[in-house]
Every structure is written in structure tokens, then in C-alpha cells.
């Protein structure tokens, strides 16, 4: 049952809805791994990376809300329940316990790279069915690429 009537044909709504749901999972999961690393980072670059992680968390949470609202506008009920995120989240995350600053940076680079790769697949999939959703995914990708660059720059020069 669809409570909200979409202006998209059913097939286009399904494609856009799947892309949005997968992005919602990635954004909520990214905010969780960012906070986990934020709380457990140690090392000489603690403060700067600690603050940088908050930027990623805030960005991911904001995008999660925008993505969920886009899904709802299309008549697709967004699912951000903890059990859904736990079952479907696939990005790399921090290990348990204290994590060295360089390891946090590398983990964030890898998590952001994977999120970007997945977003690019969704951008391609939504090009024809729903350019509005595609545009949203493009904007998210641009911001995550910026965050990835900022983390990657933290580890230069390479050891």
C-alpha cells in the first residue's frame, strides 16, 4: 500500500526507491562508524581528526534525512530502523576499542570510497527513471568525495 501517490511510474519509483533506501542505509551507517571512531580515536592527531569525524557525521545525518524525505515524497516508506541498518550496512568500520589516528583516517578513506562507488552505481541506475533522485545522489557524492579527499590528505606523506 502506498500512502503517498508518486508522480513516477511504478517501475521508476521502485528503482529510485531502492537507490534511496540503499543510500539511507549507507548514510546512517556512515554516521555510526564516524561516531564510533570519534569516541575511540587516540594518537597525536586526535583533536583534528576527532573534529573532522564530527563533520562527516553531521553531513551523513543531514543526507540521511534528505534521502528519507525524498523516498517518502515518492511514496516509498524509508526504513532507518536499527535492525535494517545492522543487517544491510556494508561499508568498512572501525575495530572495537581504541583506534590509532592513522588507522581511523585509513578506515574513513576506505569507507568513503566504498560509499562513493555505491553512489555512482545508483547515479547511473536513476539517470532515466528519476533525474531528481539522481541529482540528489550526485550532490551527496560530491560532498563525500570532498570528505574523502580531506581524510586522505591526513596521511601524507605516506609512511
Amino acid at each position: 500500500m502506498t500512502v503517498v501517490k508518486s508522480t513516477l511510474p511504478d517501475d521508476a519509483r521502485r528503482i529510485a526507491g531502492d537507490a534511496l533506501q540503499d543510500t539511507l542505509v549507507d548514510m546512517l551507517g556512515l554516521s555510526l562508524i564516524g561516531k564510533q571512531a570519534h569516541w575511540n580515536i587516540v594518537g597525536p592527531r586526535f583533536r583534528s581528526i576527532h573534529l573532522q569525524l564530527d563533520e562527516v557525521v553531521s553531513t551523513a545525518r543531514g543526507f540521511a534525512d534528505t534521502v528519507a524525505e525524498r523516498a517518502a515524497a515518492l511514496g516509498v516508506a524509508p526504513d532507518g530502523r536499527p535492525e535494517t541498518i545492522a543487517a544491510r550496512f556494508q561499508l568498512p568500520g572501525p575495530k572495537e576499542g581504541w583506534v590509532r589516528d592513522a588507522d581511523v583516517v585509513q578506515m574513513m578513506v576506505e569507507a568513503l570510497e566504498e560509499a562513493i562507488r555505491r553512489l555512482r552505481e545508483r547515479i547511473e541506475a536513476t539517470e532515466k527513471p528519476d533525474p531528481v533522485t539522481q541529482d540528489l545522489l550526485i550532490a551527496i557524492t560530491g560532498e563525500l568525495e570532498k570528505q574523502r579527499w580531506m581524510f586522505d590528505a591526513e596521511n601524507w606523506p605516506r609512511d
Side-chain angles (χ1 to χ4, degrees):
M1 171 177 114
T2 300
V3 174
V4 177
K5 177 75 173 129
S6 174
T7 58
L8 294 177
D10 287 344
D11 191 48
R13 186 173 62 87
R14 181 191 54 75
I15 291 167
D18 289 349
L20 291 164
Q21 179 59 43
D22 288 344
T23 303
L24 178 61
V25 168
D26 284 355
M27 293 303 101
L28 291 173
L30 189 60
S31 75
L32 292 172
I33 65 171
K35 267 304 179 188
Q36 181 66 21
H38 170 90
W39 297 320
N40 290 286
I41 187 172
V42 294
R45 296 181 293 161
F46 164 82
R47 178 122 173 99
S48 64
I49 297 169
H50 180 81
L51 296 173
Q52 192 174 349
L53 287 162
D54 269 344
E55 289 179 32
V56 171
V57 169
S58 178
T59 296
R61 286 179 178 167
F63 282 139
D65 191 51
T66 301
V67 163
E69 289 176 353
R70 174 69 186 154
L74 295 178
V76 177
D79 187 355
R81 296 172 299 153
E83 59 268 27
T84 301
I85 306 311
R88 296 182 58 187
F89 186 68
Q90 298 177 11
L91 303 180
K95 63 180 177 123
E96 184 178 348
W98 305 115
V99 185
R100 295 283 310 168
D101 51 7
D103 295 335
V104 167
V105 168
Q106 189 57 40
M107 180 272 303
M108 288 305 298
V109 167
E110 291 170 7
L112 289 162
E113 281 176 356
E114 181 61 13
I116 291 162
R117 185 193 67 73
R118 292 165 53 87
L119 276 161
R120 288 188 175 281
E121 289 175 357
R122 295 178 204 133
I123 288 167
E124 188 174 322
T126 56
E127 179 181 11
K128 296 270 191 236
D130 186 16
V132 176
T133 293
Q134 183 195 43
D135 187 55
L136 173 58
L137 299 176
I138 290 169
I140 294 169
T141 302
E143 179 60 29
L144 293 188
E145 286 177 335
K146 180 180 108 180
Q147 293 293 335
R148 187 218 150 276
W149 156 62
M150 294 174 91
F151 275 104
D152 199 33
E154 285 280 348
N155 274 345
W156 282 93
R158 301 271 189 237
D159 296 329

